């Protein structure tokens, strides 16, 4: 969370900002992403830009970057303030992916405090909803967001995993989602007047930003609870929950993270794809990396390219069963192609770069069993879902 005090503007000279990309020569980094890093480095007040090995171009600013500045720039965080990944242990008696996939709830369907007051998942909310934002509460969103049932596979650091209560064979829910419209509203309020310029009142922006960060974390808990109950399990507290779209005041500057997880001694789940392992790591990144690590595999294809190439190589049914044998629940055919495992970089290369640059140490891998993206309207008597989704925009 943010500490609301002003950076020490006089602490840094007005020299050009430095840019460091923590990727080995074997890692492919798109030139457009490097260009965006240099463009960000040229902004007034910028001190240092650290690109992670999952670096790729975003809308106006790179994704997979941590950017330190004496000036707060809301556009560097983007619209999905509070987006992050949480890991929840779950206990199930029988694990048959085909049966479990059919039991996932409709996570496009928001929970209403009045209409759905008897839903047991509400118990995790406890108090007031941050910012009073109820739109999309309990929904996962589109893009690269997901809820995944996974199994802990290889454990590299048994003692560390044990401290988290994890061991080989254990089941977990991995939840990747953000602030579901709240962050977009906060950014739009700023850009309508100030465009890509700095926040004129950093404390006011940070107060709203912090509500979105709390909302995102609460929503990940609510999503995990909804899925746990649907699968016949009890909800649990997360063993990992790190936000990777946020700004914090650290060491006297504003540290903007866009698709970069806090790496200052925390445990982070670096997401692979729905067809590969993900890596739980112990992060220990220093100031040269802006105390940050990668948040995932990182895209190597644009959504348009992934859609075009995927349609030429795969059928929809092929994409619903992954190379590791897991199932994908997704009623949006276009999204299936856009989010295909081949659209992303190799997670092993990303983790290898983090290890080589001494930013993180692997603790364990998780292997997907069921990855939920959107309701599968073809899986049963759910004809009303198609109409529901027509009325909702994509995040």
């Amino acid at each position: 969370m943010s500490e609301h005090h002003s950076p020490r503007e006089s602490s840094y000279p007005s020299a050009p900002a430095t840019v460091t990309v923590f990727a080995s020569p074997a890692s492919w980094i798109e030139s457009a992403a490097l260009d965006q890093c240099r463009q960000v480095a040229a902004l007034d007040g910028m001190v240092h830009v650290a690109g992670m090995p999952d670096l790729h171009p975003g809308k106006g600013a790179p994704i997979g970057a941590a950017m330190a500045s004496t000036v707060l720039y809301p556009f560097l965080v983007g619209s999905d303030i509070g987006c992050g990944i949480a890991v929840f242990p779950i206990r199930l008696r029988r694990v048959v992916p085909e049966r479990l996939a059919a039991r996932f709830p409709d996570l496009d369907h928001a929970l209403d405090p009045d209409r759905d007051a008897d839903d047991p998942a509400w118990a995790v909310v406890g108090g007031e909803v941050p910012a009073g934002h109820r739109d999309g509460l309990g929904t996962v969103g589109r893009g690269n967001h997901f809820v995944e049932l996974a199994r802990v596979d290889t454990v590299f650091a048994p003692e560390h995993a044990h401290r988290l209560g994890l061991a080989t064979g254990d089941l977990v829910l991995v939840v990747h989602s953000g602030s579901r419209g709240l962050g977009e509203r906060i950014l739009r309020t700023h850009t309508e007047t100030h465009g890509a310029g700095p926040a004129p009142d950093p404390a006011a922006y940070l107060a709203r930003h912090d509500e979105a960060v709390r909302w995102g974390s609460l929503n990940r808990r609510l999503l995990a609870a909804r899925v746990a109950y649907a699968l016949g399990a009890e909800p649990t507290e997360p063993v990992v929950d790190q936000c990777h779209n946020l700004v914090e005041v650290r060491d006297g500057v504003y540290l903007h993270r866009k698709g970069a997880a806090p790496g200052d001694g925390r445990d982070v789940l670096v997401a692979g794809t729905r067809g590969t392992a993900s890596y739980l790591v112990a992060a220990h990144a220093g100031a040269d990396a802006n105390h940050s690590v990668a948040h995932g595999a990182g895209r190597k294809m644009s959504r348009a390219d992934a859609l075009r190439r995927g349609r030429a190589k795969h059928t929809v049914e092929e994409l619903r069963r992954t190379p590791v044998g897991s199932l994908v629940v997704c009623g949006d055919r276009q999204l299936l192609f856009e989010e295909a495992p081949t659209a992303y970089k190799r997670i092993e290369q990303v983790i290898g770069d983090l290890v080589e640059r001494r930013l993180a140490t692997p603790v364990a891998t998780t292997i997907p069993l069921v990855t939920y993206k959107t309701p599968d309207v073809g899986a049963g008597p759910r004809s009303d879902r198609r109409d529901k989704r027509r009325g909702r925009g994509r995040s």
Side-chain angles (χ1 to χ4, degrees), residues 8 36 57 96 114 150 215 226 258 289 291 294 313 366 375 384:
R8 300 188 300 273
Q36 287 186 333
V96 181
D114 300 319
W215 199 99
R226 293 186 71 182
K258 179 65 181 292
H291 308 282
K313 292 182 178 181
T366 64
D384 62 318

Side-chain angles (χ1 to χ4, degrees), residues 45-309:
M46 194 60 57
V47 177
H48 180 52
V49 176
M52 299 296 112
D54 60 335
L55 183 72
H56 57 286
K59 293 181 179 179
I63 299 172
M67 301 151 281
S69 173
T70 60
V71 177
L72 198 167
Y73 292 98
F75 90 96
L76 292 182
V77 179
S79 61
D80 199 9
I81 304 166
C83 186
I85 296 177
V87 180
F88 302 79
I90 184 171
R91 292 184 178 276
L92 299 173
R93 291 183 179 179
R94 294 189 63 199
V95 181
V96 181
E98 288 78 5
R99 294 184 180 179
L100 294 174
R103 294 175 62 181
F104 269 67
D106 181 350
L107 300 180
D108 272 7
H109 174 79
L111 288 183
D112 182 88
D114 300 319
R115 184 191 62 234
D116 303 309
D118 59 345
D119 192 306
W122 275 116
V124 306
V125 175
E128 291 295 315
V129 176
H133 183 69
R134 296 182 175 183
D135 293 346
L137 196 59
T139 63
V140 67
R142 291 291 197 271
N144 62 351
H145 294 167
F146 63 86
V147 178
E148 183 170 276
L149 175 66
R151 187 189 304 276
V152 177
D153 189 39
T154 304
V155 174
F156 304 102
E159 290 187 5
H160 194 120
H162 180 73
R163 288 198 298 273
L164 295 174
L166 299 177
T168 299
D170 286 353
L171 300 177
V172 293
L173 288 175
V174 180
V175 181
H176 178 196
S177 189
S179 52
R180 302 299 293 116
L182 177 57
E184 191 277 334
R185 189 174 74 192
I186 293 169
L187 181 64
R188 186 174 66 248
T189 299
H190 171 82
T191 56
E192 283 176 348
T193 304
H194 307 287
D201 186 347
Y205 169 82
L206 286 173
R208 294 189 293 271
H209 159 283
D210 287 357
E211 287 188 313
V213 171
R214 288 193 294 270
W215 199 99
S217 181
L218 172 65
N219 197 48
R220 289 189 285 277
R221 285 163 168 77
L222 190 54
L223 285 163
R226 293 186 71 182
V227 173
Y229 280 124
L231 300 185
E234 290 293 322
T236 61
E237 287 296 308
V239 295
V240 171
D241 186 10
Q242 295 300 335
C243 173
H244 50 240
N245 281 7
L246 79 165
V247 59
E248 64 175 322
V249 178
R250 184 186 181 110
D251 299 332
V253 297
Y254 295 111
L255 177 52
H256 311 74
R257 290 189 176 100
K258 179 65 181 292
D264 49 355
R266 309 192 208 184
D267 297 309
V268 175
L269 193 287
V270 185
T273 72
R274 66 192 188 212
T276 64
S278 294
Y279 281 73
L280 177 63
V281 303
H284 38 75
D288 57 341
N290 278 337
H291 308 282
S292 302
V293 295
H295 80 307
R299 295 194 71 90
K300 70 177 181 183
M301 293 183 200
S302 69
R303 294 188 175 277
D305 282 346
L307 183 62
R308 176 176 53 81
R309 296 183 188 187

